[in-house]
Every structure is written in C-alpha cells, then in structure tokens.
Amino acid sequence: MLANEAIARAVVESDVKVAAFYPGSPTSEILDTVSMFSGEFKDLTMEVSANEKVAFETAVGASLAGVRSFTSMKSVGLNVASDAFFSVGYTGVRGGMVLLVADDPHAHSSQSEQDGRFYAYPAHVPMLEPSTAQEAYEMTKWGFELSEKYSTLVLVRTTTRVNHQSAIVSVGEIKRSPFHRASWKDVGAHYYTLAATARRLKGEALERLSHIREEFEQSAFNIIEAGEGEVGIITSGVSYLYVREALETMDSRPHVLKLATTHPLPSDLIGTFLKDKRRIVIVEELMPYLEREIRSIAHERRIDVEIRGKLSGDFPLVGEYNVPIVRAGIASSLDIASADSYADVMSRAESLKEGLPVRSPIFCPGCPHRGTFWAVQQALKETPYVLNNDIGCYSMFLLEPYEVTDSLLCMGASLGLSSGMQHVLNDKVVAFVGDSTFFHAAIPGLLSAVHNNHDLTLVILNNSVTAMTGQQPNPGSDFGAAPVTKLDIPSVVKGLGVPHVAEVSAFEPKDNVETFKEALSYRGVSVVISHGPCALYNDRLKRHAGTPIVPNEVSHDTCQNIYACIRGVHCPAIELDTATGKSTIRSELCNGCMVCAKMCPVSAIYSTRGDDT
Amino acid sequence: MNGRYNMVLSGVGGQGLMLLSNVIGTACAQEGLPVITGEQHGLSQRSGSISVHLRMGEGTYGPLVPPGDADVMIAMEATEALRYIEFLRDDGYIIMNTRLMHHPLETMRHVREDAATEPYFSLDEVRKRVRSVTPNVLEVDALHLAEAAGNARAENVVLLGAACGLPGFPLKKETVKDVIGGVVPEKTIDANMKAFDAGDGACCDAFG
Ligand SMILES: Cc1ncc(C[n+]2csc(CCOP(=O)(O)OP(=O)(O)O)c2C)c(N)n1
C-alpha cells in the first residue's frame, strides 16, 4: 500500500476519534483514505477544514477534550497552522495527537523547498522521521503512544518520496473503542498560555523533551549498521534508502547510523557513534539540519572527527537526492575519485531526447479555467494591468502557452499583494483565486480591501472543489465525509460588503467579456465569480450517474484553418490533422465542454450528440 | 526470483498508469515478492507526463530506479518511452504503445510557424532512437487491441499482458489476471481478460 494509506491505517488502528485536514501534496491521499475509513467506522469523525490552521486547531480541541486526534498537511501548511502550533508546544495535549507534515524536496508540487524540521526545535515538539511505508505506519502509531505518555503533540515528518512510496506493509488489527461524549469538568485542566503561565509551560515543555530524549536514546527505530574502518554515515528518512543502495556499488563499507528521532536528537547515541570515527558523512535532504546539530554534539563532547556533508560542499543544497547524487556525495566526502557511471547514460539520453516535444502540465479537456481566462484577457486587451495569481490549477497561467502571471506567493496572497500594488500603480490591479483558496486565506484580504476602499478586481474561479490536490471538497462543496452545509460564494462576497459583484458561467467565454469589462472598469473593489465544475470531478460524477460524456467533432468541410480553437483554447483533445492542416478532435479525450465550438468563427465544431451550437 | 527486477512505467496523466502500478504491486504482494514503488506524478491534471518506478525482489533500497537500471519499461504513449529512456538498461525491454498524444504546445508551435501540415514528432523517430539503446522493443497498438477485446479503456491492461509475456518477468500471469479481475468494474472483466491475452499474445509472438 501507499505510505499515505499506511499512515491512514495507523490513524484508524490507533483509535483516533477526530481527524481534520486541509489537502496538499504529498499528503492528500492520507485525507482521502481517512475519509474512506470514516464511512466505515461511525465513531471516527473526519472533516475537511477551511485551512490547515483550522484543521490543526480542530484536532487540538478534540485532543484537549480527551480523545485521540490527527491532522496532516504539506510543508507550507504548517506555516498557516504555526501560530497555534507554537502555543500547543507549550500547553501540550490530552488525548494522543499526531501532526504529520510532509516536506517536498525538489518542490515537485510546492512553492518552496521548505525544511519543516526546523519547526520542531523552537516549538519544543518531538519529531519522528520514517524512511519507508512500513516505518511510516509504525511511527505514526508510536507517535500516539508517545503523545499520551508525555502529554505532548508529536510531529511525524516525511518527504514526498516517503509519502509516495508504495510497498507491502504488514499492519495490525483495527479495534475501535465505542465513542462517548465527555464532560469538560472531567478534563479538570485549562489550556492557555500567557505571560507567567507561558514561562512556566515553556519550562515544562523543555523538561518533557529531556525525558523524551532519554527514551529516544533507546529507540529501536534508530539503527546502527556496523561496517568497517573509521568512517561513518549518519542519515535519516528516504536518504537512508539511497545510502544503502549507493553503498552496494561502492568499495568502502562505512558504518551507518540511521536516525528516526530527529528532535530531540539522541545525543548520547550520536556521541558514541562519533567517538571512534575519523570521518562522518551526513546524508540528508534540504538544509544541513542534522549536520549542524551533529557538529555541535561533536564540539560539546570534544570529539575530534571530520564532518562532511552540505556545509563542506560535498552534497548539494538544492533539489532532492537520488542514488547517483548520494553516491557522488559519499565519494566526494571520502575523497574517493568516483567515475560517475551514470554520466554516460544521462548524456546519451539527453542527446536521444533532442527535439522531443515537452509535455508540461496543462488544463484538462473541459476545464472551466480555460474559458474564464480567455474572457478576462479579451476584456483587458486595451488596459495595462498587473495579474496577481494564486495557488491552484489556475497557477498554470504562469506556464506556457499563457505566461500571464505577475506574482504568485502563497495561498491567498494575491489579495494582499493587490492591495499594496493599487496604492502604487497606475495599472488595473487584478487578482485570481480559486474557490478553495478564497475560503482558505483570501477572505481577510478581501474584507481589508473593502474596508480601506481599494481599487481592484478579484476573479473567483469557482470549480466547486479543491481541484489541484485531487478534487477534495471545500466549504463551497456540497459533499464531505459527513453531511455538510454548502456555502454560497456570491452571498459570502456580498456579505463582506463588496460593492460590485457579478457572476458568469465559465463555459460562455464570449458572452462574459462584457461582464468582465464592467467589473474591471469599476472604481473600487469588484468581484466576478466564474462558475463551472472541475472537469475531472464532473466527469467522475457523470460516469457514476451513467451520463455519457459526448465529444465534439470538427467538420472539415466547414473548417477554414483559422485555428481559433487552437490559439485560444490549448486543449489536449485538439490536434492538427497534418494531412489537411485542419484541426481535429480526439473523441476519447474530448469532454464536450463546447468552449472550442463557441470560439470557432465559422462554427465548424459541433457536438456529436447532434444539438449543434 | 534472483536479485532485483526494475520497471519504469510512463505515460500521460489520465491513461490509467496508477491502476497498472497498483495491479503489479498487489500481484507481488500475493506472490510474496517484496515490492516498492515510487510515483512521480505532479498534480492531478490530465495530460502531463507521469512515471512510476517499480522494484521487485529482496533487499533494502529506495523507491526510485537508478539510471540505466530498468529491466523493462512500459510506455503507454510512444514519446513517453523516449522521455524516460535514461532509466532503461542497455538491451532492456520496452513495451511501447504505438499511440501518440500531441501536446497543445506542439500543436500551437505548428500553427504559429505556419506549419499545420508538417508532421508531428513521429513514431518512426521514437522507434529509431529507442532502438539505439535496445533491440528489444515491442510495439503494441494497444488501443486497437483493447477495442477488439471490447473495451477501449483497457489499453493499460493490453500493455500489462505484454509485459507479463516477457522472458524473465517475475510474476505469474494467473496472479496478475486475478488481481485485474478484482479491481476493474464487473461488467468489463471479460473484455479486460481478453485485452490481457491479446497483449500477452503479441509479446509471445515477438519474444516467445
Ligand atoms: C498553505 C497551502 N496549503 C495547501 C496547498 C496545496 N494546494 C496546492 S493547489 C491547491 C488547490 C487550491 O484549490 P482552488 O483554489 O480551489 O483551485 P483549483 O485547484 O480548484 O483550481 C492546494 C490546496 C498549498 N500550496 N499551500
């Protein structure tokens, strides 16, 4: 099973009663799997919150009230939840609570290569790091035990290559206890942190950690694999697997210490490992977290050992690791000349791939964002503008063939940036957010703009789900793990006091140009909400309901090689018939959204259903 | 089985690559063969390039196949065989769907350069280039075989059938077919079995 599924399994086996989430790669499958389990076990409440802060606080609340709870989020999600996270480091928890945070080395699907390990130290929260799916399962379970034993939040930290690993995992039985409502007076404690209490709690948190360190010194998850000679490798997480594999093809047999408890570090264990070594190689992705800590452990204990890693320039600071990189890094750290056996393969591949067309991510057939953007662009044709984009599938407007995005920082930032820019620029200031991003972090920015009489236009691309992470529900969706109330975005926007609000259907690009022009020429805050369901989500609904997806076709008799359908639409279902030079539609890919048909000036595109548009 | 068996699956988002890797993984579990897979997929849009690494056999190792180490590659789309060619070992096997899916950027370039009747990057070109790494290339018209089997969506199963027919492939065909039968919709089981056999047959004709 996928490591993320194994983590969800551990959550259910650990008898967690409340789990709350906001999706984000590479953790989304944990949410999806817990959601499935919650259908099966009625004593497990699972919900999707508006953002990570709310999800985290929901889980903390349940824990303080006495039950086990869980949340997971991507690296940058913890930035959003961090305010509460730091306080919980002080107060501790009551029912066992695990927070899983997944970093994304290489920024495969994130805006940064943030290293979440640095959160554990200042928040006084213990941290566990699995390497494999099996360990992810076991350490999540252990996390709940530790959490209850020490009344502390436990952080399980993974990376993309751990979360998206799939392997055979041996799991335990699912034994659920019945759920009973409790009474707050049975809790008999208060959870707040302020001034003198904060100082007291900080002392207690540090005390807790020193006991946890003692337990970590003994943990069977920290493994020493004996080798030969005076060289040792210290590693953790997925890097350990790369080390093992790299060493298979190398002549040296260094000792290996694999760390699974990375805060607080088992400093005695590490000290002992360092003592009889001449040289230590640290293999870790992202920032030199272990390397700095281990340097200081060596220094404190006056151990004379050379420590190599990123700080010594042997390993890269940017990008993820793999076997070739780790092999080269170890060789360089040991001053062994290593013939890079991969260089030939890579350079041959590079030359073989010359001229191979790129296959970058692009909007799906039937995606509503395509038509929305086309209309906005037409409406802005004569106007100098700045486009502050945001996080979601529509982020792809920054890629070819669009390349229209002036800024994109993090969820919800388009509003605040627009506010700042409209104070300074002559240009029309435009912000884009998706429905999920709107609820997640854009509302405070929007109401600030209204309150301060700003001049900007916000386009809300409402596709009814959080699409990019796998079409999970958000507060504007009509489904969830349990019954939900669907929030109506136009009502929310009007409720915030936005003076100019309009709504359009995303699949009517030409009709919408006027509406966008009006909103864009309005002096003040204007909002246009473009409705149209995510194609992947909608196609799935259709398949379940047995409704056919009817593709379009191009009449080659009518087509006059104008290519409006290619230039304006960029749809994967549309290609050229290179024999005639005319557009054709691949029926197995076409979703029948009709946007291309509406673009065609000579009406050459029609639905194969027969109701010509 | 002795040692490690490495596979790379590649294709275009939406082609059913994840199902393929799940089927192989489950079949390994059923045969007690250790397996680890690493998915290299970006976000959830269709139409991007995706790949999955699958590693079978004893030992502790990571989810990714090192360059030049894959015993077999299944490409659900022909150009996607070339895109990940660095992973294949010399003389490794390629099961390559002959289908090409043209990316909108490539189409756009043709239109922009007034070259609407110029050929796209061609199957011939892919064929020529991958064959410089290995002679063991099996080209499969998976869409055609899947349609003939009664389910156009079973292209992935055709290709899996072909992989299972390879000499040295570590899984039993029966196990894989059982797993497929358990995961596809009930009314398509028959077509999927036929699709599997069609792929297997094509492979046995070529390498049997
Ligand atoms: C703080 C934070 N949490 C989660 C994510 C992961 N994430 C990336 S795209 C996205 C979807 C946003 O959904 P929406 O705004 O509705 O746009 P859509 O993808 O549906 O077009 C999310 C949640 C993130 N980048 N940052």
Side-chain angles (χ1 to χ4, degrees), chain B residues 128-139:
Chain B
K128 198 172 75 201
R129 298 190 191 191
V130 297
R131 278 185 184 276
S132 73
V133 175
T134 176
N136 301 320
V137 183
L138 175 65
E139 294 178 21

Side-chain angles (χ1 to χ4, degrees), chain A residues 503-542:
Chain A
E503 295 177 61
V504 297
S505 155
F507 301 111
E508 298 296 344
K510 284 196 170 162
D511 298 352
N512 294 341
V513 176
E514 264 319 300
T515 314
F516 279 114
K517 275 191 179 157
E518 275 167 32
L520 290 161
S521 58
Y522 180 83
R523 300 282 299 182
V525 177
S526 59
V527 173
V528 182
I529 303 142
S530 179
H531 303 285
C534 162
L536 293 183
Y537 167 66
N538 204 36
D539 285 358
R540 206 176 312 128
L541 289 185
K542 282 185 186 164

Side-chain angles (χ1 to χ4, degrees), chain B residues 56-135:
Chain B
M56 311 173 205
E58 300 290 340
T60 306
Y61 42 87
L64 301 183
V65 175
D69 233 6
D71 297 285
V72 54
M73 176 156 153
I74 303 181
M76 303 254 325
E77 196 268 4
T79 60
E80 296 307 307
L82 188 53
R83 198 174 312 280
Y84 298 97
I85 195 69
E86 62 271 27
F87 291 106
L88 195 75
R89 66 171 167 76
D90 288 4
D91 301 336
Y93 289 98
I94 302 181
I95 309 279
M96 182 168 88
N97 197 350
T98 51
R99 173 214 260 281
L100 289 176
M101 290 164 75
H102 306 300
H103 192 273
L105 285 181
E106 196 187 1
T107 300
M108 188 64 191
R109 188 177 55 74
H110 283 244
V111 166
R112 210 184 277 138
E113 292 172 7
D114 214 3
T117 52
E118 304 260 307
Y120 281 102
F121 196 88
S122 69
L123 182 61
D124 255 357
E125 196 57 43
V126 174
R127 181 182 291 141
K128 198 172 75 201
R129 298 190 191 191
V130 297
R131 278 185 184 276
S132 73
V133 175
T134 176

Side-chain angles (χ1 to χ4, degrees), chain A residues 22-25 52 74 76-77 80 109 111 369 391-394 411 433-438 440 461 463 465-469 474, chain B residues 43:
Chain A
Y22 183 75
S25 271
E52 289 87 350
K74 71 181 289 157
V76 292
V80 177
S109 51
Q111 59 264 43
H369 296 341
I391 304 276
C393 288
Y394 49 92
M411 290 189 78
V433 301
D435 46 342
S436 194
T437 300
F438 173 72
H440 178 286
L461 300 101
N463 59 6
V465 287
T466 308
M468 195 169 214
T469 50
N474 67 50
Chain B
L43 298 146

Side-chain angles (χ1 to χ4, degrees), chain A residues 7-313:
Chain A
I7 292 161
R9 170 88 192 191
V11 166
V12 175
E13 283 183 25
S14 300
D15 204 23
V16 162
K17 296 298 185 210
V18 177
F21 301 90
Y22 183 75
S25 271
T27 62
S28 304
E29 299 84 3
I30 304 177
L31 178 166
D32 297 338
T33 313
V34 172
S35 177
M36 272 170 42
F37 275 121
S38 75
E40 197 176 327
F41 301 107
K42 292 299 162 212
D43 62 297
L44 168 61
T45 298
M46 178 278 180
E47 63 193 29
V48 177
S49 308
N51 63 31
E52 289 87 350
K53 182 171 187 285
V54 176
F56 178 75
E57 290 158 349
T58 302
V60 171
S63 159
L64 299 188
V67 297
R68 284 191 169 182
S69 67
F70 177 79
T71 184
S72 60
M73 55 193 67
K74 71 181 289 157
S75 57
V76 292
L78 184 51
N79 301 342
V80 177
S82 61
D83 207 358
F85 173 75
F86 279 92
S87 292
V88 172
Y90 278 45
T91 61
V93 299
R94 188 150 167 269
M97 176 171 169
V98 170
L99 158 67
L100 185 138
V101 176
D103 286 342
D104 188 19
H106 225 75
H108 288 285
S109 51
S110 312
Q111 59 264 43
S112 72
E113 283 198 325
Q114 183 174 309
D115 192 331
R117 294 177 298 175
F118 290 93
Y119 264 113
Y121 175 70
H124 320 305
V125 171
M127 172 167 62
L128 311 176
E129 274 190 70
S131 301
T132 61
Q134 182 70 43
E135 281 186 355
Y137 161 81
E138 288 173 13
M139 286 188 194
T140 304
K141 289 186 81 170
W142 185 38
F144 286 105
E145 287 164 28
L146 278 175
S147 170
E148 252 158 39
K149 182 168 171 189
Y150 296 99
S151 303
T152 177
L153 173 69
V154 171
L155 174 64
V156 175
R157 186 261 188 177
T158 56
T159 56
T160 302
R161 296 295 180 192
V162 174
N163 296 86
H164 282 169
Q165 236 177 70
S166 182
I168 297 168
V169 178
S170 62
V171 296
E173 247 181 279
I174 296 181
K175 283 190 239 134
R176 307 283 306 169
S177 71
F179 169 73
H180 300 294
R181 279 192 178 275
S183 160
W184 182 252
K185 74 174 177 347
D186 301 334
V187 171
H190 302 289
Y191 295 90
Y192 53 77
T193 163
L194 207 71
T197 320
R199 292 189 289 275
R200 175 174 57 81
L201 290 176
K202 180 175 172 187
E204 287 174 14
L206 292 169
E207 174 73 17
R208 224 167 27 224
L209 275 184
S210 74
H211 295 302
I212 293 172
R213 184 187 63 79
E214 283 163 24
E215 176 156 354
F216 283 179
E217 298 283 359
Q218 310 301 326
S219 167
F221 286 112
N222 295 319
I223 301 166
I224 294 184
E225 290 168 357
E228 295 158 5
E230 296 173 309
V231 174
I233 291 179
I234 302 181
T235 181
S236 70
V238 75
S239 300
Y240 163 71
L241 301 177
Y242 301 144
V243 166
R244 283 286 303 251
E245 195 163 345
L247 290 178
E248 276 181 15
T249 59
M250 298 179 77
D251 289 332
S252 52
R253 289 274 160 272
H255 308 267
V256 177
L257 168 58
K258 172 201 184 289
L259 290 172
T261 61
T262 46
H263 184 71
L265 283 170
S267 43
D268 291 342
L269 178 75
I270 294 170
T272 313
F273 186 77
L274 298 181
K275 220 163 49 199
D276 52 355
K277 305 291 183 302
R278 192 174 41 81
R279 191 175 294 189
I280 290 288
V281 184
I282 312 282
V283 187
E284 62 183 323
E285 289 179 310
L286 301 179
M287 296 308 285
Y289 167 83
L290 292 176
E291 193 172 346
R292 282 190 191 283
E293 292 293 324
I294 289 166
R295 276 184 185 218
S296 93
I297 290 172
H299 183 73
E300 276 162 21
R301 292 167 195 241
R302 303 195 195 311
I303 301 170
D304 181 25
V305 57
E306 188 183 353
I307 294 175
R308 303 280 285 256
K310 292 173 189 277
L311 295 171
S312 55

Side-chain angles (χ1 to χ4, degrees), chain A residues 312-330:
Chain A
S312 55
D314 295 295
F315 284 84
L317 279 154
V318 180
E320 69 175 349
Y321 285 1
N322 53 33
V323 174
I325 289 173
V326 167
R327 216 177 90 130
I330 294 175

